[in-house]
Amino acid sequence: MSDNGNLLGSSEFLKGMNIHAAEGRAFTLELIEFLKKTPIEWVRIHPLPTRRLRTKGMTGLSYLDAVEKFAQAGFNLILPIDVGVKENVGIITGNHLHKFVDESYGESFRAVKQIETRLSRFKDLKIIYGIENEIDTKEWIIQSLPTIAWREDTATWLRLSTNEDLKYKRLGYILEAIKEAAPDRPTMINVEADDPADDWTSSTAFMVAAQTVASSLHLLEKDARTRMNNYRIDVATALSRLRDFDIIGLDNYPNYFTKLPPRGSEIGEKVNNVAKRTHKPVINLEFGYTTTGRGTKPINVFRGSRTSDPNSDRDHSFQLSPEDNQKKFFVNALSSIESSSSQGTFPWVLMIDPASGDRPPEEKGFTLLKIGSNRMLEPVAAFNYYISWLETIKSKELAPLESQTEIVEEKVPSERKTA
């Protein structure tokens, strides 16, 4: 680990928040002004278009300008590099896949150099660079499906996600470029750490069907199905093939499609499991609960229950709103995280512009700030709870961890371990 990687030693718990890159550029000053009133010290700007850092928005600010303003305001940064969303890398077809992989080094190097050059005057600034985003086998496939289409096209990302040699050639190039351009900065991977079987959806079913067809056509490696259903194998493979990264981020959305009951209490256990197996610092890089999409209508609880007083007209039934459930999820998740070895929290997401066209519809419901009737930014109950929780958090020490050799039970067959 680089010297700067020691920022995740026993002396610091990363009090963070995810900033959606588009809103981070469009509402830069408003978001900074709001966050300065909170205990939040770190922001992760995602998905940062690192191939278009100088592209300006309606306010005249570029993405690079926005990153600089967050740094100038005193916030430390987590910046994912060369995330494969189409707004950053375009639409990748099978004919151009190998060229795309080969270009990953140069594009990543240029992005990090631009960032480091622009931010060089902030001597106390801490930066962690992310290597792509959610590198577990299932996630690139899900994100490329027609119902989501963050990455395109599906066939290309299906191949890239499940072909280990291609996948880790790309990830290795990104990591190498970061280290070449910013040798003293720590680096991290992150995985979406929810098991598909826990929140089965039509998208998941489509992903499995596509993967099954591709397997029958001999387009996928024989162990791809196992990896798709077990993010722990992806962590193990990353350790084997990307030996020099410093931090592991876990992303958790256990209620993404199935809203009830609000979950979250399992998140801390996953942190402990990964930390114990890898002997690396683990942070909760993304977690959240959406108030939009299927299953979010208020529900009645104890419908028809009445007091023992026959003369009382008061109905003891009450409704749980999506916002109530969102706060309950945060209560569960933060309680679980607090008792774990997690070294940082980054809820998803501070704000999504209601005018944005993001899909699926669940995405807009993750926002923790809303634009009120007076056009002022107003926090939701879950955000207020998070801020109160942060104010109680003291520096946390990483719990004693077992040797990295314990991860062997999750590893893929030995002949696949070489880079």
Side-chain angles (χ1 to χ4, degrees):
M1 182 184 291
S2 62
D3 290 341
N4 207 11
N6 290 329
L7 63 88
L8 277 186
S10 61
S11 62
E12 181 172 8
F13 181 87
L14 276 57
K15 299 179 178 181
M17 176 59 63
N18 276 287
I19 305 290
H20 197 246
E23 285 71 21
R25 184 183 64 168
F27 299 92
T28 311
L29 299 182
E30 294 91 335
L31 295 181
I32 288 174
E33 190 63 28
F34 182 87
L35 287 174
K36 284 169 66 175
K37 302 172 185 177
T38 75
I40 292 169
E41 300 169 346
W42 285 78
V43 295
R44 175 176 180 256
I45 303 176
H46 171 71
L48 184 64
T50 52
R51 298 191 181 194
R52 301 190 299 111
L53 284 171
R54 297 186 182 277
T55 303
K56 295 185 177 182
M58 294 182 64
T59 64
L61 293 180
S62 68
Y63 290 106
L64 193 57
D65 294 333
V67 169
E68 181 181 22
K69 288 191 177 296
F70 278 100
Q72 187 176 18
F75 293 101
N76 299 311
L77 303 169
I78 295 183
L79 304 176
I81 300 300
D82 213 39
V83 177
V85 293
K86 60 189 177 185
E87 289 78 11
N88 185 31
V89 303
I91 298 174
I92 312 302
T93 62
N95 293 335
H96 297 91
L97 178 55
H98 287 277
K99 181 175 183 290
F100 168 65
V101 170
D102 290 340
E103 289 175 344
S104 299
Y105 175 86
E107 295 288 355
S108 300
F109 180 85
R110 280 189 288 274
V112 176
K113 266 299 184 185
Q114 288 183 74
I115 293 167
E116 290 291 319
T117 299
R118 179 68 72 91
L119 303 184
S120 61
R121 63 191 176 97
F122 304 111
K123 302 304 180 184
D124 296 327
L125 174 67
K126 299 172 184 176
I127 302 177
I128 300 170
Y129 286 110
I131 305 163
E132 240 278 5
N133 179 59
E134 293 184 339
I135 67 170
D136 49 294
T137 304
K138 69 181 183 301
E139 205 57 31
W140 289 0
I141 303 172
I142 291 177
Q143 292 174 9
S144 71
L145 295 178
T147 54
I148 299 176
W150 298 341
R151 301 171 188 258
E152 289 192 31
D153 66 15
T154 302
T156 302
W157 284 98
L158 176 69
R159 182 181 176 194
L160 189 53
S161 181
T162 57
N163 184 313
E164 277 191 16
D165 289 334
L166 272 177
K167 178 177 183 175
Y168 281 95
K169 186 177 181 181
R170 168 167 161 76
L171 296 176
Y173 280 157
I174 297 172
L175 175 57
E176 183 182 350
I178 295 170
K179 288 185 172 294
E180 182 70 20
D184 295 327
R185 302 294 193 188
T187 56
M188 71 178 302
I189 64 161
N190 65 304
V191 299
E192 208 286 330
D194 294 311
D195 297 310
D198 292 340
D199 195 18
W200 194 263
T201 67
S202 57
S203 292
T204 307
F206 186 94
M207 175 185 69
V208 173
Q211 193 263 354
T212 301
V213 171
S215 294
S216 67
L217 296 175
H218 305 290
L219 300 177
L220 304 184
E221 297 174 349
K222 61 183 180 181
D223 62 350
R225 294 190 71 171
T226 302
R227 286 187 278 119
M228 186 191 71
N229 290 296
N230 191 341
Y231 67 89
R232 302 163 192 84
I233 293 178
D234 290 295
V235 173
T237 306
L239 281 171
S240 176
R241 294 205 173 216
L242 300 172
R243 296 180 183 277
D244 295 329
F245 67 90
D246 302 302
I247 304 158
I248 297 173
L250 296 188
D251 301 357
N252 287 99
Y253 300 98
N255 288 108
Y256 196 102
F257 290 108
T258 307
K259 305 299 188 299
L260 298 173
R263 301 173 64 188
S265 57
E266 70 277 26
I267 291 178
E269 181 180 351
K270 293 183 177 183
V271 171
N272 288 341
N273 180 270
V274 172
K276 179 180 179 181
R277 292 174 179 276
T278 64
H279 207 71
K280 285 185 179 289
V282 178
I283 66 175
N284 291 100
L285 191 64
E286 294 183 28
F287 59 97
Y289 180 101
T290 176
T291 60
T292 57
R294 71 186 76 176
T296 51
K297 292 183 179 180
I299 62 170
N300 284 321
V301 179
F302 309 132
R303 182 187 297 273
S305 173
R306 296 188 177 272
T307 66
S308 58
D309 181 1
N311 296 318
S312 173
D313 292 327
R314 187 174 57 176
D315 190 341
H316 276 255
S317 67
F318 62 93
Q319 290 188 326
L320 294 179
S321 69
E323 291 75 17
D324 294 330
N325 288 323
Q326 184 183 52
K327 180 181 176 182
K328 178 61 176 175
F329 171 85
F330 269 74
V331 172
N332 295 342
L334 294 174
S335 176
S336 179
I337 290 169
E338 185 172 359
S339 59
S340 77
S341 58
S342 174
Q343 292 190 266
T345 46
F346 290 77
W348 184 265
V349 60
L350 184 60
M351 178 185 174
I352 297 290
D353 186 349
S356 71
D358 280 359
R359 59 178 183 173
E362 280 78 9
E363 280 302 303
K364 291 183 182 179
F366 285 105
T367 187
L368 297 173
L369 284 185
K370 295 184 177 181
I371 301 176
S373 56
N374 58 356
R375 305 298 298 171
M376 298 292 289
L377 296 176
E378 298 177 354
V380 302
F383 182 88
N384 287 332
Y385 183 85
Y386 178 57
I387 294 304
S388 298
W389 181 81
L390 284 180
E391 290 172 344
T392 70
I393 292 296
K394 299 179 181 179
S395 296
K396 297 180 61 175
E397 294 187 7
L398 187 63
L401 305 177
E402 300 295 331
S403 168
Q404 183 174 318
T405 57
E406 288 205 15
I407 202 166
V408 67
E409 64 180 305
E410 296 288 358
K411 283 189 175 180
V412 290
S414 58
E415 67 269 16
R416 304 203 51 77
K417 294 179 185 177
T418 55

